Amino acid sequence: MTDTTITLTDTAEGVWHRDFRLNDGNGPRLAGSPQWSITRETLRGGTSAGVDVVHLFNGALRLSILPTRGMGLWKGLFRSGASEIELGWQSPVRQPVHPAFVNLAEHTGLGWLQGFNEWLCRCGLAWNGPPGVDVVTRADGTVSEAPLTLHGRIANTPAHHVEAGVSADGPGRLWVRGVVDEVMMFGPCLRLISTVETQAGSNGFRITDEVQNLAGRPGEMQLLYHTNIGRPFVEAGSRFFAAVRELAPRDAAAARGLGTWPDYEPPTPEYAEQVFLIRPVADEHGQTRVLLSNAARERGLSLRFNIRELPCFSLWKCTRAEADGCVTGLEPATGFPNFKSFERGRGRVIALQPEETWRAGIEFAVHAGRDAVADVEREIESL
Amino acid sequence: MTDTTITLTDTAEGVWHRDFRLNDGNGPRLAGSPQWSITRETLRGGTSAGVDVVHLFNGALRLSILPTRGMGLWKGLFRSGASEIELGWQSPVRQPVHPAFVNLAEHTGLGWLQGFNEWLCRCGLAWNGPPGVDVVTRADGTVSEAPLTLHGRIANTPAHHVEAGVSADGPGRLWVRGVVDEVMMFGPCLRLISTVETQAGSNGFRITDEVQNLAGRPGEMQLLYHTNIGRPFVEAGSRFFAAVRELAPRDAAAARGLGTWPDYEPPTPEYAEQVFLIRPVADEHGQTRVLLSNAARERGLSLRFNIRELPCFSLWKCTRAEADGCVTGLEPATGFPNFKSFERGRGRVIALQPEETWRAGIEFAVHAGRDAVADVEREIESL
Amino acid sequence: MTDTTITLTDTAEGVWHRDFRLNDGNGPRLAGSPQWSITRETLRGGTSAGVDVVHLFNGALRLSILPTRGMGLWKGLFRSGASEIELGWQSPVRQPVHPAFVNLAEHTGLGWLQGFNEWLCRCGLAWNGPPGVDVVTRADGTVSEAPLTLHGRIANTPAHHVEAGVSADGPGRLWVRGVVDEVMMFGPCLRLISTVETQAGSNGFRITDEVQNLAGRPGEMQLLYHTNIGRPFVEAGSRFFAAVRELAPRDAAAARGLGTWPDYEPPTPEYAEQVFLIRPVADEHGQTRVLLSNAARERGLSLRFNIRELPCFSLWKCTRAEADGCVTGLEPATGFPNFKSFERGRGRVIALQPEETWRAGIEFAVHAGRDAVADVEREIESL
């Protein structure tokens, strides 16, 4: 047995390793990379005070994971030869924001935007999409109204259990797992168990999520992976690649951009965001892949996921001025980012029975060099 | 003089003992129990990050007090011979929640439910009961509107002063006292001084609360002690005992359960909560007692209080599925948990003059064994 | 080069000096005072938990600066001979409140009052004034609605960068600088860089603020300096001195007090606050000065500012019972504390272009003794 798992945080057990450090010095030797590490730091000052960051480094790829923000990924960095590629984007909100500084209900339910700056953040679990009042008519005819805030609570809910592990099998594997409860008395009771896993020395990682209904009654869930990418992937001439079965513009602004939907313009002040709702083509196992590439087709970021788990995909184009957050979102999800009641009417809200668990995985990869990018393009075309 | 009092926390004086520990090793010898301790820990991780817990152990009874949550009692544990009895209940919210993660105004004023999991939490001080808009017409005819959130602010307001003490008098006494200010400029300015006190080796404890009006003008107060009990007291066949002068079901759901109001059913998914509003009978000093006993009448929890201080009592039956928080509430209070303006109209909102102090005490006891439970039953019957 | 600057806090750089102490023992010798210090503490307990305070002492004047509350000034203390003069006021909210305990949207947008107790707090940056819904019609005819909460976000936003410095030039200078970002995606993106600076041994200090528009599009700003003064400056017979060009009562309550607007009554329970809106007279450089003096004209606090930077001044008289916060506010500002849309209509909302910076400075001085107070009175009269 070559696996080691260490608990960094467990609220119930009183576990808290302030200066956690697991690396090539005190851990096993990994064939895939002589160097690797998993460390934790707690940010101080500003609206970041108290935010935990777990840094996962596989020898080539660095990931900064935010247990305090629902196991989102803040940033990444990929080293390819002598060059480094930043993974993420530059939000006007510069540093990770502690949920104590985010009032989801403020700004007419748009308070979520006060803390939005991650490379990957989840929208969910009980709901995602725009704010509004969800009117639900029950079987017995009674009607309840629930005010929903933008993109739900999970990204502003901290993990109460965090563990990290390493295995020397094959090239070596590193992982970080967090457990986040989105619960309230008389309300939704959903648990996210999220694992970020990477092979030593590799150019990618996998996120595997489970969502459990902890309640003694059926519960609804929605989940969207808001993967946000800016420079150096987004620039004039960048292109998005996907095998598209169906595509629809979300609104009039997107409809006007339909003719050039996969292509990117330069950063544009006051750019009106465009969202395209996509049903991807998949292989016989349900697997599909999407790619964002820069103008020269020499840097790419791809996501591979299964449409049986995540049947819907949204492309969010928001190439505003750099100072305002020039960004695009690649967003595999259980549904489309419409208001929950609309999605419910289309059968795109998941109903979980008591103790039932939903699962999904996404593989992320960074592609450096024209050949690497072209390989992924070909794979997508072959779908 | 055998009394020792130590300040654990005082914001104004800059006092903060991180690793506070007072016990049989460094304190006096207590006749009632060779073992005892008062310690503090600060929780880490999840939504508990930063929550202080003061653990009070009298040799038989352990109490976990939450200064960060308005001096609520999180959990208890009573050791009787070889067996241990858990005091509290299992909320879907598993661990104590820091107020920074509770937005009282969210969920149409029901955000309080995001942090609700204590054995005993206070509802108050300026108001308790359901959310709504309190319309107040002043003497000069002007009208003001104040939005009230569920059960008020006190349970999500931390104590700025906490002290603990021990006395070797008699069997020995242990106590923890906290001071919590529920204040805002131009708003209610009420101070809670709460003392939890227990005799070494005993099966019970006493809570003594003072509420002071700090303002230079009269102020209103409401206070309800939300004492929440689950297993192993609540099960099919459990029974509530009280000397009842008047009883009224709160609503239609409770009216349907009126015929079996003191009896408990097994945990029932989608159970519609029932609340019974009670005016207890008391002795010539105003003292009354209530008891919850399990089906075999061999485990009981009793509360003794004075109806001159706490004239109203609510029984909250909420025996939902275990996963949803199967619980009952024994709730002595200054009024009934109706909306504040309704209670004001019935004369059940307390008006405190400047510097005026309201006081109340409740004695809690755990009863293990058929004889002990039967004794309390008899005492209640004799009322 | 005799200047030393030390970074206490920088979130992005991971800098955090817990036990920061710079003083006459480890720093340069200052001609103006043999004693001086700049230290930091982090408050614990109550609603102050986690609040950073930077104490700046110039040998005569002590200032407590709150990086966690937008670089507000909590309290001051001036030593003149054997006597000490407290600077500030006694709010019902006794200790500095961490923003995590303030819900700006609560209480119909008046939640800001839960944390209001500083000697000086800023109201802004994107808006100040009363709560309401700001309806904005854009050039293209579209209308947006933004709910604004009382006095904006800056006083409840912590600095992500704090530095302190000392220079032995002349009498010696001490300063503390903080950087606070009031930002959100798709929202206002304004940065405050605030410097508090004092000469060793002096009776005063200067605040110099810069506000930068970080966005790639024009942005609005409003800023009011809520300088709050109680005892021993405010008492029956205290008087406010200013060179007034125009003065208007804010409402009917103020209109009733117009005849005695610069004079103070004793603390009065249920006093209805009076606000006077003033356009000051200035010298040829735009400089003006205002003074509050106690009844005996032997203690004064003056503010000197430039009407080209801060053209508007509000006098807030709120001499309620001491227990309710007997206080007056001297409030230089970019506009008057009306609702933002009203101020916008009067041309008193500042529009900042991308990367544009707004600047202002205010000099505060404490005057002890009849002669010192009379000197300032004469200076104001000469305007």
Side-chain angles (χ1 to χ4, degrees), chain A residues 44-46 48 103 108 113 270 323-324, chain C residues 11 16 103 147 158-159 185 216-217:
Chain A
R44 303 303 303 259
S48 302
N103 183 338
T108 330
L113 295 166
E270 303 293 352
D324 294 329
Chain C
T11 302
W16 175 262
N103 183 338
M185 183 74 182
R217 58 197 192 285

Side-chain angles (χ1 to χ4, degrees), chain A residues 11-83:
Chain A
T11 302
E13 300 297 324
V15 175
W16 175 263
H17 290 300
R18 180 184 294 269
D19 299 309
F20 176 83
R21 174 166 284 273
L22 179 65
N23 61 17
D24 47 271
N26 62 10
R29 194 173 179 287
L30 304 186
S33 169
Q35 283 196 310
W36 60 269
S37 62
I38 308 176
T39 60
R40 157 155 63 193
E41 70 173 322
T42 299
L43 304 181
R44 303 303 303 259
T47 56
S48 302
V51 172
D52 281 336
V53 188
V54 177
H55 299 284
L56 172 60
F57 175 51
N58 76 4
L61 189 64
R62 290 182 189 277
L63 305 175
S64 299
I65 303 164
L66 298 176
T68 306
R69 291 188 53 81
M71 293 298 291
L73 292 185
W74 179 33
K75 297 270 186 206
L77 190 69
F78 180 62
R79 192 199 302 161
S80 172
S83 72

Side-chain angles (χ1 to χ4, degrees), chain C residues 10 20 24 32 49 54 63 89 105 121 133 136 139 153 305 311 339 380:
Chain C
D10 191 285
F20 176 83
D24 48 90
V54 177
L63 305 175
W89 61 299
C121 63
V133 176
V136 180
R153 292 173 59 196
F305 55 93
F339 188 63
I380 293 171

Side-chain angles (χ1 to χ4, degrees), chain A residues 124-128 190 210-212 219-225 334 340 348-352 357-359:
Chain A
L125 299 174
W127 71 86
N128 71 41
L190 297 165
E210 295 185 1
V211 177
Q212 297 178 350
E220 292 182 333
M221 73 158 274
Q222 296 186 281
L223 186 50
L224 179 145
Y225 293 87
T334 59
K340 185 178 181 180
R348 292 194 296 255
V349 172
I350 292 175
L352 290 179
T357 296
W358 172 93
R359 283 180 189 81

